[in-house]
Amino acid sequence: MGQILVRKIDDAILERLKLLAKERNVPVEALARSALEEAAQRKTNEEMRGWLDRLAELRAMTPKKGLDSVPLIRKLREGDDSDD
């Protein structure tokens, strides 16, 4: 497994990490590792653009005007379930 060394961490941040680690009963290293794993799981800008492009494609396929369901409901109430 790889390793990194993080330098120039603000003292207040380090103290906060130590406090959080103590509350959770885990080493600071485990807390930092967890934060790094979470950050690595976030979508990149390119991935987000892909999702947004796909969403735009789906929107384009969606009819702009909704279908009126009233005639269909009336037919079903009258017992006519055939597809016209």
Side-chain angles (χ1 to χ4, degrees):
M1 293 212 165
Q3 295 182 16
I4 62 170
L5 173 65
V6 181
R7 299 174 194 261
K8 299 182 182 178
I9 298 173
D10 186 87
D11 290 337
I13 292 173
L14 188 56
E15 287 306 313
R16 177 80 174 149
L17 288 174
K18 287 178 182 178
L19 177 64
L20 290 171
K22 185 176 181 179
E23 284 180 357
R24 296 175 187 177
N25 200 30
V26 296
V28 172
E29 181 180 340
L31 191 64
R33 186 181 306 110
S34 176
L36 290 170
E37 289 168 356
E38 259 184 59
Q41 294 300 317
R42 294 186 190 131
K43 302 286 185 220
T44 64
N45 288 341
E46 185 176 333
E47 290 169 326
M48 289 302 293
R49 275 191 294 277
W51 280 102
L52 291 173
D53 290 345
R54 179 65 179 135
L55 182 59
E57 290 172 13
L58 292 172
R59 280 191 184 135
M61 295 177 355
T62 304
K64 301 229 184 294
K65 292 184 179 180
L67 298 176
D68 186 7
S69 61
V70 172
L72 176 61
I73 293 170
R74 285 189 179 136
K75 283 183 181 182
L76 290 172
R77 283 184 184 162
E78 295 168 1
D80 180 9
D81 59 357
S82 62
D83 291 332
D84 290 331

